[in-house]
Amino acid sequence: MPTHVLILGGTTEGRLTAELLHARGARVTSSLAGRVAAPRMPPGEVRIGGFGGAGGLERWLREHAVDAVIDATHPFAGTISFHAAEAAAGAHVPLLALRRPGWTPVPGDDWHPVGSLEEAAGAARALGRRVFLTTGRMGLASFAHIDDVWFLVRSVDAPDGPCPPHAEVLLDRGPFTLDGERGLLRRHRIDVLVTKDSGGAATAPKLTAARESGIPVVLVRRPPVPPGVAVAAGPEEAAAWTDTLGGAAPR
């Protein structure tokens, strides 16, 4: 077991991994970006805020004698993942990316995959006029120019940047129930769902509710994991990876 594991967290998977490693006696430091006002704190040491790019993270790894890094950030937090890969390589520290599997369509789904939020904005506008937007508060600027569509914006914290002119903000945190999502779509007369391929069960019921109602889904594809970085699909696999640091890591 490594002496000191840095978990780049902020996700449920990161918190669960911290719990597993902490219970096994590892020294665990979880780093949270600080974008959520009241995050659920994991056990062990916690730091909040950025590192100052890849160089700052590399210095932190060296100064704090980190033995392994687990990148358990959100699947769409692409910048920090590439910084982590660069910093871990520079500090000669093993790195694992913890990524929950993405969603898979089933018969009856009407999915429209896109490569960016900007593409999602154009696709949503072409598909309907009452959009349920669940891409988080950080990306709302991509939709702010659309003035002929009504948006229901759901996020954990209130948006603090540009928003679409015709929007209602719903502050809520998953997990969400299927009955709740069905009622939400019906109550607000939603005809398009826009979401990111975040994966996981906590927010998946909206996809089932959309399928049942025949509502098209604009799905933003997730960015790739940096080349050459080992990948785990869940907290148990990530925790077990710390035992393999002298040999082959999972891919």
Side-chain angles (χ1 to χ4, degrees):
M1 176 66 66
T3 302
H4 189 189
V5 180
L6 172 66
I7 298 177
L8 304 175
T11 59
T12 299
E13 290 79 11
R15 179 170 49 82
L16 293 176
T17 302
E19 291 174 359
L20 289 171
L21 292 177
H22 189 263
R24 291 166 63 175
R27 178 188 173 193
V28 181
T29 299
S30 295
S31 178
L32 310 181
R35 292 177 177 175
V36 176
R40 296 171 180 171
M41 289 296 183
E45 303 169 39
V46 177
R47 69 174 303 279
I48 296 178
F51 292 92
L57 177 53
E58 181 179 341
R59 287 191 297 273
W60 200 94
L61 296 178
R62 294 180 183 277
E63 292 170 0
H64 292 82
V66 172
D67 298 291
V69 179
I70 297 177
D71 172 15
T73 55
H74 192 276
F76 282 83
T79 299
I80 183 60
S81 294
F82 279 87
H83 285 173
E86 182 179 341
H92 305 289
V93 173
L95 169 66
L96 176 77
L98 173 54
R99 293 290 185 272
R100 69 187 80 144
W103 290 314
T104 302
V106 300
D109 281 325
D110 181 15
W111 288 9
H112 300 256
V114 295
S116 67
L117 289 174
E118 289 73 23
E119 290 182 38
R125 189 179 187 185
L127 289 167
R129 286 294 177 265
R130 296 186 67 82
V131 176
F132 184 22
L133 187 57
T134 65
T135 55
R137 67 187 179 95
M138 304 301 292
L140 291 181
S142 299
F143 302 84
H145 66 285
I146 301 177
D147 60 5
D148 57 352
V149 173
W150 182 86
F151 291 90
L152 176 63
V153 177
R154 183 165 68 189
S155 64
V156 175
D157 294 316
D160 55 3
C163 285
H166 307 294
E168 177 180 334
V169 176
L170 174 63
L171 301 183
D172 204 355
R173 184 200 298 265
F176 302 105
T177 67
L178 179 55
D179 283 344
E181 299 294 63
R182 286 169 175 157
L184 198 66
L185 298 182
R186 182 173 58 251
R187 190 161 57 251
H188 293 280
R189 295 179 287 115
I190 299 298
D191 56 15
V192 182
L193 167 64
V194 179
T195 191
K196 295 177 178 178
D197 184 15
S198 301
T203 60
K206 62 189 173 188
L207 300 173
T208 303
R211 180 172 63 250
E212 292 177 347
S213 300
I215 293 174
V217 176
V218 179
L219 188 74
V220 184
R221 292 186 292 266
R222 59 175 62 179
V225 172
V229 175
V231 180
E236 294 80 7
E237 186 179 347
W241 169 81
T242 61
D243 293 327
T244 73
L245 296 180
R251 286 191 179 273

